[in-house]
Amino acid sequence: MPEPLTLDGFRADLAECLFLDPGEVDLADSPLDAGVDSLRIVTLLERWQAAGAAVTFVELAERTTFAQWWQLLSERQGRRT
């Protein structure tokens, strides 16, 4: 079974994608304003699905902050799509 996604892991994934330190990731930021394009969303989504979060591209794209992404991901831990 894969390691569950944690808030620290979520921040680290975003930071890697955005070329930031995890502490620089502001969960109030908009993914689009931060520079997360559709290809990066797919890359992150695949990583999080592999960690056991049952979310879809559309569900992430509909949310307007990283905090909303985290809320969705944390609610969907261990579910299957």
Side-chain angles (χ1 to χ4, degrees):
M1 182 177 267
E3 286 287 318
L5 185 62
T6 64
L7 180 56
D8 287 340
F10 172 72
R11 282 180 179 274
D13 290 344
L14 292 174
E16 180 182 332
C17 176
L18 298 170
F19 305 102
L20 299 172
D21 289 324
E24 294 177 299
V25 174
D26 185 348
L27 295 182
D29 283 350
S30 159
L32 295 178
D33 291 344
V36 180
D37 60 17
S38 59
L39 182 58
R40 287 183 175 145
I41 292 174
V42 170
T43 300
L44 290 166
L45 178 63
E46 289 174 348
R47 183 179 296 184
W48 296 333
Q49 286 175 335
V55 296
T56 67
F57 178 91
V58 171
E59 290 173 319
L60 288 177
E62 290 175 338
R63 283 153 177 83
T64 58
T65 66
F66 291 130
Q68 290 174 343
W69 281 17
W70 173 245
Q71 181 180 1
L72 176 67
L73 289 164
S74 63
E75 291 171 355
R76 301 285 184 84
Q77 290 286 331
R79 293 187 187 176
R80 296 281 178 211
T81 52

